Amino acid sequence: MNDAPLSEVATRQEFLISTIAGLIAGCGHVAVGSASPIPGSAALLARARSGGAMRVSVLGSLRNNFFTDGGVELFDCAAQGRVDAFFLGGGQIDGEGNINLVGTGAYPSMEVRWPGSFGSAYLYFLVPRVILFREEHTRRVLVEKVDFVSAPGKSDPGVYRPGGPHALLTNLALFDFDRGRHRFRLRSVHPGHSVEEVLDNTGFTFERPQKVPQTPSPDPETLALIRGSVRDEIAEVYPRFAAAAFAPRG
Amino acid sequence: MNDAPLSEVATRQEFLISTIAGLIAGCGHVAVGSASPIPGSAALLARARSGGAMRVSVLGSLRNNFFTDGGVELFDCAAQGRVDAFFLGGGQIDGEGNINLVGTGAYPSMEVRWPGSFGSAYLYFLVPRVILFREEHTRRVLVEKVDFVSAPGKSDPGVYRPGGPHALLTNLALFDFDRGRHRFRLRSVHPGHSVEEVLDNTGFTFERPQKVPQTPSPDPETLALIRGSVRDEIAEVYPRFAAAAFAPRG
Amino acid sequence: MSEHHIRDLFDLAAAVPDGAKLAVPADYSGVAMAATRALIRRGVRHLHLVCVPVSGLQAEMLIGAGAVKVIESSAVTLGEYGPAPRFVEAVRYGKITLKDATCPAIHAALQAAAKGLPFMPLRGILGSDLLAHRPDWRVIENPFEAGDPIVALPAIRPDIALFHAPLADREGNVFIGRRRELMTMAHAARRTFVTVEEISETSLFDDERLAAGVIPALYVSAVVRAKSGAWPLGLWNAYEADDAFLRRYATLAKTDEGFAQVLARWLDEPAMAAE
Amino acid sequence: MSEHHIRDLFDLAAAVPDGAKLAVPADYSGVAMAATRALIRRGVRHLHLVCVPVSGLQAEMLIGAGAVKVIESSAVTLGEYGPAPRFVEAVRYGKITLKDATCPAIHAALQAAAKGLPFMPLRGILGSDLLAHRPDWRVIENPFEAGDPIVALPAIRPDIALFHAPLADREGNVFIGRRRELMTMAHAARRTFVTVEEISETSLFDDERLAAGVIPALYVSAVVRAKSGAWPLGLWNAYEADDAFLRRYATLAKTDEGFAQVLARWLDEPAMAAE
């Protein structure tokens, strides 16, 4: 896996797009928030493969966003149970699935301040399948305990919470989240990387099978879709991403 | 006052329109509910006289209704403090200003059932100047105590209530409502009627001045306005009313 | 659109189960009368009718036909044509369960469902006998100010929202213009069935001006074409109510026999385009 | 429109008092940057900025210019152009009071104000550190189910809502299309100031399609024409953000000197049409 534009080899972004698309297959409605070109591309890929069964709402798009009730609609729609999957990131993500989009150090005068929590403190509770996606896989990002909980990975019994973390994808590996044990479990390591590398670069403990499989690479058909209709569609919202992230068309 | 179409004499409806217009003069925004041709005409008259200072929202109109947020907007708008006057009727109205739009006898299997409370249980609390308007002036309508309180004339201390009853207009007379004492006070009796007639036909006690004035009749200029632009505008919503209620143009 | 097997009014009526909590709009908003006729023809029973926020001929005829068990409404009236006689009769003899409401309470309870909330607070209502007869409405304290009571209304989540609109497209997007209460109904309900005058071959999202007044297909389970689908009621910007029908109805429906006669004639009217 | 004396950006800026609670939209919605420039020129101070539900360059520049005392937002970021450097700096040195929120909480609190409610309940949030740092947010019991905690958010009633739209008419009706959050802002705020690209000589209510996406003049205090009024940000369906400006800004604003330089240059740009 590398960024070289060889048509038979996926770029890093194409690989991630393909992997995320696999995580949301079968969903009826996938919503994509702002500043999310890779999840957006993945949702468009999954839709292309669904034979018309999947809806996708890409925030910021005019052509792939059918909301007509303003900024609140995504949140209402999720609370109605009409959003099956969503994507969240995090400046920090910890082993219990807590995410931090606010900053490091003591609140409020933080050493490092990030933009803020966006809709995470709500959507993490209400969307059944939340995919945590953060490209950087380091002990700086994947920590034992976040400095600030923008949105918790687990809730007390009695708290209304139909949603929560489903998986965590980074540049190195893919984890499932075990909602019973509130811990991540390594599902697969990406080609060119090892379990040791994952262990070295992860600040929290996690479960793993005795033999960790490799994350599958996209097949040629998938790559053609990504470099074709998906690239064209995502370019509406993320033109610079579309120009840089994909290998030339086959 | 009669229904004869003599251009110098107001019809009963024209007289009421003129009287209501006087009650809402100076308001910034007057809203008119459904099935209210006389209040609607009165609001349009008051607007015509205001020199552009008054807004009017007539429910059911396309030309004189600028709401764009659906059926809830009138109520939200009132709660925001942006509706200065509204009109309510009542199958029964009692001496404390309670109104009943539900029926007579024991709820729920009532002897006489009326349509229902509409928005009264809300707007009566929130609109500063609610005009009670009921053409029939009898002891059947104006009762000592309503059988069912759709909306109360007064509220306990501590209840949020910027609005309430302001006046009561019937075919016989005009009353003010004293919000301190929670009682009506006779302001004037319409031409051709007497205080005795009002007393005989009112089921509740009310205050009155020693000498009760006569309700003023519309002047020729007002009648011309009513029979001109007001008639044309109200015809959009109430064509049958517009055809029947007005004297021929002068 | 998720229920592609619904292709005509017959299918639509078959898809409304007995006992459904059915939300319907006020006369000014677009009432699916052709679909209502199909419902009565199929003999629907035990409906829990939620009127948003009031109803007229539709509730009246469903009640007269014996299709309604519970009605939640702020009013039922034929408006200019007078009282709704079958409603009045059913109330007097306790044939239907009443949930008397006030307009903004129904809007707020639907908005609660549309926001996935268990309840919505609302001003007013305190001291009204409505509250005394609605054990499902509670009075709570404003958590931000002691001694400030406020009503809490439980969310209304209809099983089905049913209404008539001027236009939809092949995807199931529906133009409702300024009739935003229809949007709230669709957001709040589990399923939404819409009848329309016309179906556009191009997407309603192609025109940004139109788009602002569109319910997205995401919320729409089925669209069926029904030309003059609001008749004998009117449709905004399209046609007026049928004055002669409504006059005749208001007179005849005062008696059981008269109602049976007007209902039978209405059910016998020639089938509509989509039926 | 109620404030007819406001005829240009100078008047508009003069009508925003120091200390105002000012609601502004997200970048995708229509940001009144020309008006923001006029505000900074007039030296506005102590603003309580409510970002609906996030902000970018606008909050960043107001903060850099020392105009902001309190900021309530779900995020401040330059998006593709990276962190908002003046915001980050102001946070680190405690120069502004933070009211960190989450997007639906800001929407809900504005909807509470638009409905005249003291508060709105909202799902989620429980267990987030946001709640720990927002003493104005409360946790109450769902009155309809014991043991079901839910957050109650106090209404946000802005003194002024300020945004940029493509079109208004002479009456003060403003077309906002699908950007309904602008409608909620206008309903919630005491006063609403709008800058627009164009002013139509005919009423926006003449076209029923357009009408569905219109904020009625009833809620609009003043409309001022400002061609390219969102620049250097973009406006939906009209123009893109100014890539070169934003790149330069993101680089220069990392230092006090760089920010002073880019701000001074921005304030010196030739006056807009309406100024």
Side-chain angles (χ1 to χ4, degrees), chain B residues 62 65-72 75 102 107-111 113-122 125-126 147-152 158-160 240, chain C residues 54 74-77 80-81 87-88 91-92 94 98 100-104 107 122-130 133 147 149 178-181 237 243 247:
Chain B
L62 279 174
N65 177 354
F66 301 99
F67 287 148
T68 58
D69 203 30
V72 78
F75 306 104
V102 164
Y107 189 89
S109 301
M110 306 184 102
E111 293 156 29
R113 169 73 202 204
W114 298 315
S117 301
F118 290 96
S120 66
Y122 184 82
F125 289 78
L126 293 165
D147 288 16
F148 185 101
V149 178
S150 284
V159 168
Y160 179 80
R240 284 198 282 170
Chain C
V54 299
S74 307
V76 179
T77 168
E80 285 193 272
Y81 301 92
F87 165 70
V88 169
V91 169
R92 188 181 296 135
L98 287 175
D100 261 291
T102 183
C103 305
H107 290 303
L122 194 70
R123 287 300 191 187
I125 305 179
L126 297 162
S128 164
D129 282 340
L130 292 174
H133 294 285
R178 291 196 254 167
R179 308 294 153 172
R180 295 296 286 198
E181 57 278 354
N237 268 15
D243 186 65
R247 276 175 197 271

Side-chain angles (χ1 to χ4, degrees), chain D residues 48-125:
Chain D
H48 178 148
L49 211 56
V50 177
C51 308
V52 185
V54 299
S55 187
L57 188 69
Q58 183 182 31
E60 162 75 5
M61 291 188 110
L62 284 167
I63 289 168
V68 177
K69 184 178 178 190
V70 180
I71 183 167
E72 179 156 14
S73 191
S74 306
V76 179
T77 167
L78 301 182
E80 287 192 88
Y81 301 92
R86 294 296 98 197
F87 165 70
V88 169
E89 166 95 356
V91 170
R92 187 180 298 136
Y93 297 104
K95 292 180 187 171
I96 50 176
T97 301
L98 287 174
K99 297 182 88 171
D100 260 292
T102 182
C103 304
I106 290 181
H107 291 302
L110 285 169
Q111 287 180 312
K115 298 184 78 61
L117 293 171
F119 73 98
M120 184 80 91
L122 195 71
R123 287 299 191 189
I125 305 178

Side-chain angles (χ1 to χ4, degrees), chain A residues 62 71 107 118 121 149 240, chain D residues 74 100 102 125 129 181 237 247:
Chain A
L62 278 175
Y107 189 88
F118 289 97
V149 178
R240 284 197 283 171
Chain D
S74 306
D100 260 292
T102 182
I125 305 178
D129 283 340
E181 58 278 353
N237 268 14
R247 277 176 197 270

Side-chain angles (χ1 to χ4, degrees), chain B residues 118-137:
Chain B
F118 290 96
S120 66
Y122 184 82
L123 293 171
Y124 211 24
F125 289 78
L126 293 165
V127 177
R129 200 180 291 199
V130 174
I131 313 294
L132 299 174
F133 172 61
R134 175 73 204 242
E135 289 165 80
E136 180 180 337
H137 189 138

Side-chain angles (χ1 to χ4, degrees), chain D residues 234-257:
Chain D
L235 180 64
W236 48 276
N237 268 14
Y239 46 87
E240 300 293 321
D242 183 338
D243 187 64
F245 182 99
L246 288 165
R247 277 176 197 270
R248 197 176 66 228
Y249 180 87
T251 306
L252 285 174
K254 283 174 184 161
T255 65
D256 290 355
E257 302 71 34

Side-chain angles (χ1 to χ4, degrees), chain A residues 88-92 97-103 113-122 124-125 146-153, chain D residues 74 100-102 124-131:
Chain A
L88 290 173
Q92 292 178 329
N98 299 308
I99 61 176
N100 173 6
L101 294 95
V102 165
R113 168 73 202 205
W114 298 315
S117 300
F118 289 97
S120 66
Y122 184 82
Y124 211 25
F125 288 78
V146 295
D147 288 14
F148 186 100
V149 178
S150 283
Chain D
S74 306
D100 260 292
T102 182
I125 305 178
L126 297 161
S128 163
D129 283 340
L130 292 175
L131 189 58

